[in-house]
Amino acid sequence: MRFLPGTHRALGLAAALAVAATAGPAVAQPVVRAPRPAEDGGRAEAGAAPLRGSLGVPVAERLLASSDPEARLRGIERLGAIGTEEAVTALLAALDQGGPAARDPRARLAAVRALAPHAQRDSVRQLLSRELSEGGGPARGAASPLGEVLRGTAALALARTGERRALGALVNAIVQGGAAGEAAALAIKAYPPESLQLLLGSRKRLEPALVSFLGELGDLRAIAALRPMLEGGDRAAQVAAARALARLGDEAALAKARAWLSKPEPGLFEATVEILVHLGAPEAPDAVAALLGSELGRLEGLRLAELAPAERLVPALARALPLLPEDARPRAVAAIGRAGGAEAARQLRRLTLERPELATAAAFALATMPGAEARAAVAELVDGPRAAKDAELRRLGLRAGVVRGLALRDAPGSLEGRLLAALAAPKGSSDRAVGVFGAVALGLRDALELVGGCAPASCDRAAVHAAARGALARGDRALAALAPLFAELAAPGGGAAPGGDDAAPDAAAISAGVALLAEPRGGALATSRLAALAEAGGPLSPLAARALAARDDEVIRGRLKRLLEGSDPVVRAHVALGLGSDPLPDSVSLLARAYRFEDDPAVRRAIVRGLSRRAEVQRRRVLLAARDLDPDEGVRALARAALSGAGAPALDPPRAALATGVVWIAIVPNDRSAAASASSRPARLVRPDGLAVPVVADPDGVLLVPAVPPGVSSVLLAPAAPPGDAGS
């Protein structure tokens, strides 16, 4: 190859520019000037400028001074990428001068992330401590939704250093309490110090808040510092130390608790009982029972009964039940079930028969309580003489039997025959709906076999609702079998009310929408219809949004961006899940941008799940930030798994023949005149892993949803159907 004269000089300059522009944060920026002609006598060309003036700190400073918030964010991120001492100083100055960046929570969050690698510097540590204490609160203007993220990120940046002064700032926040203290405690748990002395410092006296935190931290090295506090000092310090030691499993606190129990003091009994419970002392059940009998300590007694179930507590819980606040009574019923035994089964059976407002809670407790006594009590609800006369009680028993079969595989022997008999009940009735659900969930009948033909003019919608929920217990194959029915019902003019392509689907289409759990790309449903469902709101919107994102192209990209920035966090999360399977490689940029200032931890988890399924290199920077600095432990765990190559746990429907997690909900109207609004009410159940399941209640307002992972679920009821809608 032959070069023209002078070409090699231009190429050399281009290479120098490229090296300077891609240098990492630890590389000083070189000054490169344009080549000087020999006749200049060594003088620079007029107008020549250092490369630093075009690409370095001055450009970032100009961006920070801009009135455009996005430009300021680019300036902050540029300074963070440069990472030199000059860049860090410039970034600190921009935040300390009270300018626009200092008043913008998004800019401050970006700055905290950029400064995290430099947290050992005094000036950076001071700024992070200030952000920990102020967050997005009134000290910097109106409270921001990003306040919790900002506080948590600053706390994690301090804790990661493992440095004494940074940990001292976190300990001071714990002692002060409040939101900053909570963030500091979580950060130290995420990054435990190498030595507890770094936490304790030169303190001669440990404050009660710090003592309590040491118990929660679970570090056994704290025992040596806590034991001396049991003797001498004030009583508050002794109690705090004994509680912390009990949490750590150290029996040094047991003698002190027994001494306090023998000589009761005002205000000390609750702490004493808690210590006994944590250490598993033989006296604990009787002490909890005494607390349940106390008017002032009853709720604390309930909490401890939930923490340490025991058969001896059943009579005390039963006596306390009518004395508890109304919203705490279902908790007491569940505690009786967890205590177990013959007396618990007897008390729960009595509640199902005599306390209609607690009958559902009692039936669920019986259904999930191991033992022959509980199984016999459920069998009586199914076959007993009162069940033969009371249809509502019989349905309660059938549901309890199905839940017992799913959760424990210990259903009453007569359950199968009773369920199949219920299938003969009139179409649209609650009795038939219970039979359909149980028969499908337990694998006695196929869902489509029971639903039959379902056209808009003639469809047993109650059977569709029940069969779709029952199919959840049978896994992805059973759900996929509902896909043709869903495509027919959800298509324009299918199961939808009149109104064109954007018409909201009726209840039957919502129920059949569980097929989208097994077909995350939407199956045969048209993309335009998926977009309409995703944007319409309602129980189907999240799964439709996930499927729409998996079909991303130039035509629908704008709609996806609007959904990803919308006000419904569940829909945002599902768009992020769908983008993980997006065929377009630049979707990783959408996910990365969405993560930056997302305030909902569930959405951030979904974003990390989506990124874990991508292969583009752009994902790594976001995953590293999520792993190291995200305030939510779930996000950090998912990011760690993604970076290790393990990937995030799948959200696919369960493949086991029987699912064990069941949610039982009874929709009770506040006013009897609104009883019809509970019948066949659509709802959205968000599982603990973040996946939304569209469901519709039975005609009597009861929802049984199987295949739910352990954890906390949430339910959002759709608006009541308009008069005349067959689904209502």
Side-chain angles (χ1 to χ4, degrees):
M1 182 180 293
R2 186 170 63 86
F3 293 99
L4 295 174
T7 304
H8 64 286
R9 292 177 62 193
L11 287 173
L13 177 59
L17 286 169
V19 170
T22 59
V27 180
Q29 301 299 313
V31 177
V32 180
R33 298 182 183 276
R36 301 186 180 97
E39 60 269 20
D40 279 356
R43 295 190 304 271
E45 288 183 338
L51 183 62
R52 173 181 173 280
S54 301
L55 298 174
V57 174
V59 173
E61 289 176 325
R62 289 197 295 272
L63 289 171
L64 278 170
S66 171
S67 60
D68 180 8
E70 291 299 323
R72 294 197 295 269
L73 289 172
R74 290 198 301 273
I76 290 170
E77 291 167 354
R78 179 172 294 215
L79 289 174
I82 294 172
T84 62
E85 184 173 351
E86 181 185 11
V88 171
T89 301
L91 185 48
L92 290 169
L95 294 175
D96 284 337
Q97 290 171 357
R103 297 191 297 270
D104 181 359
R106 297 198 314 161
R108 287 160 52 205
L109 178 57
V112 166
R113 288 170 176 161
L115 291 169
H118 313 281
Q120 290 182 325
R121 290 182 51 170
D122 286 343
S123 53
V124 174
R125 185 179 64 254
Q126 291 168 10
L127 181 136
L128 293 174
S129 300
R130 187 177 70 210
E131 292 295 353
L132 170 62
S133 61
E134 296 180 1
R140 294 289 188 93
S144 166
L146 283 174
E148 183 177 349
V149 181
L150 185 52
R151 274 190 299 270
T153 305
L156 287 166
L158 290 167
R160 283 180 72 226
T161 67
E163 194 262 336
R164 179 179 57 82
R165 287 171 293 182
L167 292 172
L170 293 172
V171 169
N172 289 337
I174 291 173
V175 171
Q176 294 296 322
E182 293 174 7
L186 291 174
I188 296 177
K189 291 175 184 177
Y191 294 104
E194 292 183 0
S195 168
L196 276 186
Q197 197 56 42
L198 293 172
L199 288 181
L200 305 181
S202 58
R203 283 177 162 80
K204 295 181 179 179
R205 174 184 175 274
L206 300 184
E207 296 86 346
L210 179 56
V211 171
S212 297
F213 170 71
L214 291 175
E216 296 168 4
L217 185 60
D219 192 328
L220 297 183
R221 295 175 297 178
I223 292 176
L226 294 173
R227 278 181 175 174
M229 297 180 62
L230 292 176
E231 305 300 334
D234 59 23
R235 184 51 52 86
Q238 291 180 8
V239 171
R243 272 179 155 162
L245 287 168
R247 285 181 177 274
L248 294 170
D250 182 46
E251 293 193 355
L254 188 55
K256 182 66 69 175
R258 284 172 170 160
W260 292 335
L261 190 64
S262 63
K263 296 181 180 179
E265 297 182 24
L268 195 57
F269 188 58
E270 290 184 13
T272 303
V273 178
E274 181 182 351
I275 294 166
L276 295 173
V277 166
H278 279 297
L279 293 175
E283 307 96 322
D286 291 336
V288 173
L291 204 54
L292 285 165
S294 163
E295 183 177 357
L296 296 178
R298 193 166 287 127
L299 284 174
E300 177 65 7
L302 175 58
R303 183 184 73 83
L304 294 174
E306 293 170 324
L307 186 65
E311 287 188 35
R312 287 159 58 188
L313 286 174
V314 171
L317 285 165
R319 289 192 298 270
L321 183 62
L323 304 175
L324 286 164
E326 187 174 353
D327 60 349
R329 291 172 190 171
R331 289 174 50 199
V333 173
I336 292 173
R338 283 197 290 272
E343 179 61 17
R346 190 183 72 81
Q347 292 289 348
L348 293 172
R349 174 186 169 279
R350 180 181 62 82
L351 291 172
T352 60
L353 299 175
E354 300 176 6
R355 299 288 296 272
E357 76 281 6
L358 294 174
T360 297
F364 186 78
L366 282 171
T368 53
M369 189 178 95
E373 298 92 347
R375 183 176 64 253
V378 173
E380 185 179 355
L381 292 176
V382 174
D383 287 320
R386 290 190 57 174
K389 302 175 183 178
D390 188 338
E392 186 174 351
L393 183 64
R394 184 171 61 252
R395 289 195 298 271
L396 184 73
L398 288 174
R399 285 171 173 137
V402 173
V403 171
R404 190 171 185 85
L406 291 172
L408 302 177
R409 304 194 182 190
D410 186 29
S414 62
L415 179 66
E416 180 177 337
R418 294 296 183 185
L419 287 174
L420 296 179
L423 297 179
K427 290 185 176 182
S429 67
S430 296
D431 287 342
R432 186 166 191 270
V434 172
V436 169
F437 172 80
V440 174
L442 295 177
L444 307 177
R445 290 288 188 274
D446 179 74
L448 290 180
E449 172 192 348
L450 295 178
V451 169
C454 186
S458 60
C459 181
D460 184 357
R461 283 169 168 77
V464 174
H465 309 330
R469 284 185 281 107
L472 290 168
R474 308 310 303 172
D476 52 357
R477 183 173 296 181
L479 294 173
L482 295 172
L485 176 63
F486 172 63
E488 180 181 356
L489 292 173
D501 288 356
D502 294 331
D506 82 342
I510 290 173
S511 283
V514 296
L516 291 175
L517 292 168
E519 297 200 351
R521 298 184 67 88
L525 204 64
T527 299
S528 60
R529 185 59 180 154
L530 278 175
L533 292 173
E535 294 171 342
L540 271 178
S541 289
L543 290 182
R546 182 179 72 158
L548 185 68
R551 297 183 184 183
D552 181 23
D553 59 24
E554 293 181 359
V555 176
I556 62 174
R557 174 59 66 88
R559 302 177 87 161
L560 287 177
K561 286 182 177 179
R562 288 192 294 273
L563 289 170
L564 198 55
E565 298 170 356
S567 59
D568 187 340
V570 178
V571 172
R572 296 201 303 270
H574 282 70
V575 173
L577 292 173
L579 288 174
S581 304
D582 187 346
L584 299 182
D586 64 338
S587 63
V588 70
S589 299
L590 284 181
L591 289 169
R593 185 175 181 83
Y595 176 83
R596 291 193 306 166
F597 306 118
E598 175 56 60
D599 59 88
D600 192 296
V603 181
R604 298 201 303 277
R605 289 182 213 127
I607 292 171
V608 171
R609 283 184 185 275
L611 287 170
S612 71
R613 304 186 67 177
R614 309 298 309 189
E616 295 84 357
V617 69
Q618 296 97 315
R619 76 178 196 141
R620 183 169 177 81
R621 183 170 63 88
V622 181
L623 290 176
L624 286 171
R627 181 196 67 184
D628 295 339
L629 294 173
D630 196 285
D632 181 74
E633 170 54 28
V635 175
R636 297 198 301 274
L638 290 170
R640 283 194 297 270
L643 288 167
S644 70
L651 290 178
D652 299 327
R655 285 173 167 75
L658 289 174
T660 57
V662 186
V663 171
W664 188 339
I665 300 166
I667 304 173
V668 180
N670 294 325
D671 191 323
R672 289 190 176 183
S673 63
S677 66
S679 176
S680 300
R681 185 73 172 267
R684 177 181 78 189
L685 183 139
V686 181
R687 306 187 327 186
D689 57 10
L691 202 60
V693 182
V695 291
V696 180
D698 287 336
D700 58 357
V702 175
L703 269 169
L704 277 179
V705 186
V708 179
V712 178
S713 299
S714 64
V715 177
L716 177 66
L717 296 180
D725 188 322
S728 66

